[in-house]
Amino acid sequence: MPEAKNKAVKQDFEPDILVFCCNWCSYAGADLAGVSRFQYPPNMRIVRVMCSGRVDPSFVLKALKEGADGVLITGCHIGDCHYISGNEYAKERFEKLHRIIIKQLGINEKRVRLEWVSASEGRRFADLITEFTNEIRGLGPLKFY
Amino acid sequence: MLSPIGPTGGHIYRVSDGKTPKTVVMIQCVGSRSLKANPYCSFVCCSVALKNAQLLKQEYPEMDVIIYYIDIRTTDKGNEEYYRKIREADVRMIRGKVGELTEDDDHNLMVRAYSSLTGELTKIKADMVVLSTGMNPSKGTMEAIEVLGLGKGPNGFLSEIHGCLKPQETKNIGIYICGCAAGPKNIPYSVSTALAAASKAAALLSHKTIIQELIIAEIDETLCSGCHRCEKVCEYKAISINDNKIAQVDELKCKGCGVCISSCPARAIDLKYYRDRQFEAEIKGIGTGELDISQKKSIKIAN
Ligand code: SF4
Ligand code: SF4
């Protein structure tokens, strides 16, 4: 089921974005972005997981299936994982997710991204969400047929 | 050798022929701070070499003492004083790495090195050469890592959970590290880490109970095929395969990260309070209600 290339709807399109945040770094980073009142688009919703290594590829697929136009997985920086190396597994799994599933489904690889955001990077979190939202907005809605 | 209760009673002589050396060369950073050997600094050798050089000069004022070094690092309290005193004590300091060390038939040694301050090649005939060899993790450290399932840092020493915030704690509750087990340290530093480790242990033991997170992995025994995958990915060694070839979670060791869950091909593991179906419901909920994509749904035919 390749992704449809329908550019017509792009104009007033607001993407829906699902963000997986690990409990220790990225979620705290998102919180910091909030309390510091950094602005970012309201298109995303956060699902908190204990560790980025908990994010099963099936969650990503489920999110895309349930209507998300983009999925962002965030975790602690490599070497800073609260659970020592959960983020390394996340990275490994993410690469497999891309190499095998996302490509085979014909979904644009840019729609699913893995990023590291630490608890002190509120600014970065806001910038990342802004940038990702704009990128997905540019790609248009995700459609399956 | 310089110790009054040491093997030579504090007297310096060559073991080979009993001669008291007239020229002593000390070479720093042997096997340390080099990408070919130990990449790290062994922390104590600079201060020890300076101290020994000073003692030699006190004991044998006629002796020539030469130190080859890369940089002198006298970081800890009071160690800078050694450095200052050594300058007054007529000890020659040559900055440069030694390239060659040869011995002739009379056990005399020839040290050749490039001095990076003067740009000259130096050649010194020495009666005795003292090497400041790098500090390595002991064999026991390796054993402890294996038996107890502790973390190993990039240099082979034990690794702590967090170098700054939890410098004594390992990933296993109740096991603490101190002294050179975690990396090169001098005596005061070792003592203070030992005290810190002891107080951590005391804090743990002062409670009658251990507070355990309830977020832990749970195995569905009917699904598990005993493939050992979860066992390999768990950093805390909390999962093992039991005699029935079924994975088993040690509830005290499990930290609830969930890494095992997404690695299980049989989907036999779930995390209490963060179950797969909870996430699925959350994702579905966000997709259908929260983000108001119901209008768009009409053009999305998900299969
Ligand atoms: S990964 Fe899954 S199937 Fe394999 S041993 Fe662990 S629980 Fe059992
Ligand atoms: S949840 Fe994490 S700590 Fe617990 S058994 Fe699984 S991998 Fe090990």
Side-chain angles (χ1 to χ4, degrees):
Chain A
M1 46 175 189
E3 196 184 317
K5 290 194 173 49
N6 185 348
K7 301 229 158 79
V9 265
K10 267 190 196 170
Q11 259 60 39
D12 43 83
F13 161 66
E14 282 302 327
D16 299 318
I17 285 162
L18 197 84
V19 185
F20 289 99
C21 282
C22 84
N23 187 35
W24 306 99
C25 291
S26 323
Y27 198 73
D31 206 22
L32 184 66
V35 293
S36 320
R37 296 169 191 255
F38 295 137
Q39 300 283 322
Y40 58 84
N43 302 49
M44 65 98 181
R45 292 294 176 272
I46 292 179
V47 172
R48 182 169 61 107
V49 286
M50 292 310 276
C51 175
S52 51
R54 172 75 177 91
V55 179
D56 196 294
S58 76
F59 293 172
V60 177
L61 296 180
K62 179 102 182 151
L64 293 172
K65 183 183 151 205
E66 294 297 345
D69 299 298
V71 177
L72 185 64
I73 307 167
T74 55
C76 315
H77 286 273
I78 292 287
D80 282 347
C81 178
H82 183 81
Y83 300 107
I84 305 164
S85 66
N87 51 4
E88 287 166 25
Y89 288 112
K91 185 161 174 259
E92 198 185 311
R93 219 161 275 148
F94 178 79
E95 277 156 13
K96 291 202 176 109
L97 171 82
H98 260 75
R99 253 205 329 272
I100 303 166
I101 310 174
I102 299 288
K103 270 192 193 159
Q104 277 190 357
L105 289 177
I107 297 170
N108 191 328
E109 278 177 52
K110 288 184 184 152
R111 289 190 189 272
V112 185
R113 210 201 273 184
L114 177 70
E115 290 279 353
W116 310 131
V117 180
S118 82
S120 59
E121 294 177 326
R123 175 88 262 168
R124 188 172 128 69
F125 184 84
D127 291 348
L128 178 67
I129 296 296
T130 314
E131 188 244 324
F132 189 64
T133 309
N134 288 339
E135 182 164 31
I136 301 297
R137 189 177 284 127
L139 289 174
L142 174 64
K143 294 201 298 179
F144 298 113
Y145 61 91
Chain B
M1 254 189 171
L2 279 167
S3 160
I5 51 165
T8 59
H11 303 293
I12 301 293
Y13 55 81
R14 292 207 302 215
V15 183
S16 52
D17 57 8
K19 243 172 80 183
T20 297
K22 288 201 185 67
T23 313
V24 172
V25 170
M26 298 186 176
I27 306 175
Q28 296 308 102
C29 301
V30 178
S32 296
R33 304 180 61 207
S34 151
L35 292 180
K36 284 193 201 134
N38 294 342
Y40 51 88
C41 165
S42 292
F43 197 77
V44 295
C45 348
C46 282
S47 308
V48 170
L50 294 177
K51 184 190 80 180
N52 287 344
Q54 197 189 322
L55 287 177
L56 280 177
K57 274 300 212 189
Q58 267 172 17
E59 199 79 4
Y60 306 93
E62 299 303 309
M63 190 184 273
D64 255 344
V65 183
I66 299 121
I67 301 181
Y68 279 103
Y69 66 101
I70 310 180
D71 316 292
I72 287 292
R73 297 181 164 181
T74 51
T75 43
D76 221 7
K77 189 180 171 187
N79 288 352
E80 186 65 17
E81 219 176 303
Y82 285 136
Y83 187 58
R84 227 178 310 122
K85 283 205 178 142
I86 217 74
R87 315 233 87 174
E88 294 156 11
D90 193 24
V91 168
R92 269 170 74 198
M93 306 279 290
I94 303 177
R95 196 180 86 178
K97 272 196 158 182
V98 172
E100 194 185 52
L101 186 59
T102 47
E103 184 184 4
D104 66 13
D105 298 336
D106 301 330
H107 303 298
N108 290 323
L109 299 152
M110 183 62 86
V111 184
R112 266 178 250 263
Y114 175 74
S115 161
S116 58
L117 281 183
T118 60
E120 287 164 359
L121 205 63
T122 63
K123 234 162 76 179
I124 289 169
K125 203 164 138 254
D127 301 316
M128 185 181 265
V129 171
V130 183
L131 305 180
S132 291
T133 48
M135 217 188 268
N136 283 326
S138 72
K139 265 201 212 117
T141 307
M142 298 296 165
E143 263 173 48
I145 288 174
E146 259 179 34
V147 174
L148 300 172
L150 301 174
K152 187 168 136 190
N155 297 331
F157 291 94
L158 289 177
S159 73
E160 48 284 269
I161 295 187
H162 194 289
C164 304
L165 298 176
K166 292 181 173 173
Q168 261 62 61
E169 287 173 49
T170 64
K171 55 190 184 180
N172 298 15
I173 301 177
I175 301 183
Y176 302 98
I177 37 180
C178 58
C180 291
K185 284 185 186 59
N186 59 10
I187 297 169
Y189 193 5
S190 298
V191 171
S192 59
T193 54
L195 291 174
S199 68
K200 285 269 179 192
L204 183 75
L205 292 174
S206 65
H207 301 290
K208 285 216 166 57
T209 48
I210 290 177
I211 296 175
Q212 172 71 11
E213 268 293 353
L214 290 176
I215 308 169
I216 44 176
E218 185 184 54
I219 311 273
D220 182 340
E221 297 186 357
T222 55
L223 292 176
C224 172
S225 61
C227 70
H228 292 266
R229 257 208 220 182
C230 50
E231 196 182 16
K232 278 186 209 132
V233 298
C234 179
E235 275 286 353
Y236 300 94
K237 294 227 182 317
I239 298 195
S240 53
I241 307 293
N242 66 15
D243 297 340
N244 301 331
K245 298 246 177 329
I246 287 182
Q248 208 174 14
V249 178
D250 183 332
E251 301 198 339
L252 277 178
K253 282 189 184 168
C254 174
K255 295 276 187 295
C257 62
V259 169
C260 56
I261 300 162
S262 32
S263 76
C264 173
R267 312 207 68 146
I269 321 177
D270 221 340
L271 192 62
K272 285 184 193 163
Y273 304 97
Y274 283 85
R275 292 180 189 279
D276 275 357
R277 57 169 197 278
Q278 282 173 284
F279 280 118
E280 277 158 19
E282 197 174 345
I283 293 166
K284 192 163 182 193
I286 291 174
T288 48
E290 174 82 0
L291 280 177
D292 191 29
I293 54 169
S294 41
Q295 311 99 298
K296 273 191 355 191
K297 255 282 156 348
S298 55
I299 53 164
K300 276 189 194 180
I301 307 156
N303 90 0

